[in-house]
Amino acid sequence: MLFFVPILSLEYLFSTHFVPIFVKQKKLKANKGMVQKRKGTKKHNVILRERELSGGNKSLYLDIYSGGVRIKEYLKLYISVNPRTPIEREVNKETLQLAETIRTERESELNHQAHGQISPNAKKINFLDYYQNYIDKYTKADIRMIKASFKRFNDFLEAEYPKYKNCIKPEQINKEMVTDFVEYLESKSKGEGALTFYRRFKKVIKNAVDNNVIAKNPCLGVVCKVDENALTKDILSIDEIEQLIKTRYPEQNPETRRAFIFTLYTGIRFCDIIDLKFSNVDYSNRILKFNQAKTKGKSSNSWVNIPLNDYLLSLIGEKPENDTYIFNLPSQTMCLKTLRVWVKKAGISKHITWHCGRHSYAVNILNNGANIKTVASLLGHSGLKHTEKYTRAVDSLKEQAINSLPELKL
């Protein structure tokens, strides 16, 4: 009877089979089992071993010695200790063949990595699958932008490199293609959008380089030329904010309404609004204190203190007995949809997103005479670089105001 060793899929390569479990370095006891006897020699840096389990089975794992550290990789493959029937013996044999295939490929990977080479298995990877797998395991707050960058890359391939739209190998992504991708982003996106997408794309590329899937980073030297200090999003004027607040309609979500008004008067990001609790409010000193999600653990200035006036305290409400969230909001997508309906019903013909509330807050308080350092502190900026774009917007508004005056005829 012929036995076929299954080809490992990309899904398997990214499964927990290949997630190393670090253990303390120690001398392992020699097993008497078939696996140890077959692959227990010192010439192998990846050894297939077995561990007896209660219930009459053995668990197969890889014993790897790499970079001075010994690790175990459990394969989630099992064999019977005492196979009694022909079927059990055949299953054992096929399982061992699969485990040996995995061992061989893992050893090949390590040997290629040791010499700075890309393993044959990595060369077979579809980078689009790798990108999607990266997204599936991503847990940070900018997940929406990572997904958006993936969509932009797919759109780019379909438009500019159609032969790669379904499958592109890592080695096929070169500097020329990345340059074309940046030009595509610049032509399709406004303001910082192109730079935002490119930064997320570079994170995935760097991850692929770090995992020895791509030999050389094709993004090195490729720059996305965007004026980061230009404020391109629409902002709401004081009059438009008043117009928005006066607008009510029966199906309006009151929590979304209350939260966005709070943003307009504090400049707090959506990712921070949803996490605010009553414990963040110092009622006696009338101060809101919170740690920004965007800079938490990255900056010494991640904590923000915002003074609260009577209006803001009324938006927050009285402190309940049990600590809960201040705003009970639906998903970010639903909040955005509600906001757009609200803006339209208010008769405001601007493209307003949640982040526009933060921009509007900064521009309006600067326009009313606030000091740039004070604004930077209220926004939680570690320096003035990111705040300066608001001063440029204020200068633009002042210029528009002057130009709106009727022309004098002397």
Side-chain angles (χ1 to χ4, degrees), residues 255-269:
E255 288 294 291
T256 303
R257 171 189 170 86
R258 189 166 62 98
F260 187 68
I261 293 174
F262 196 78
T263 294
L264 288 169
Y265 281 84
T266 59
I268 301 178
R269 299 181 183 91

Side-chain angles (χ1 to χ4, degrees), residues 74 77 103 138 149 183 233 251 262 272 284-285 304 318 323 331 372 375 390:
Y74 288 95
L77 296 176
R103 188 208 67 79
Y138 199 80
S149 70
E183 291 177 355
K233 290 184 178 293
E251 63 273 22
F262 196 78
D272 293 319
S284 59
N285 292 306
V304 178
E318 296 182 3
D323 190 28
S331 67
I372 186 173
V375 176
Y390 299 118

Side-chain angles (χ1 to χ4, degrees), residues 386-400:
H386 296 293
T387 318
E388 286 174 350
K389 64 183 176 184
Y390 299 118
T391 63
R392 291 171 61 179
V394 169
D395 291 339
S396 176
L397 288 173
K398 290 178 179 178
E399 184 179 348
Q400 291 175 22

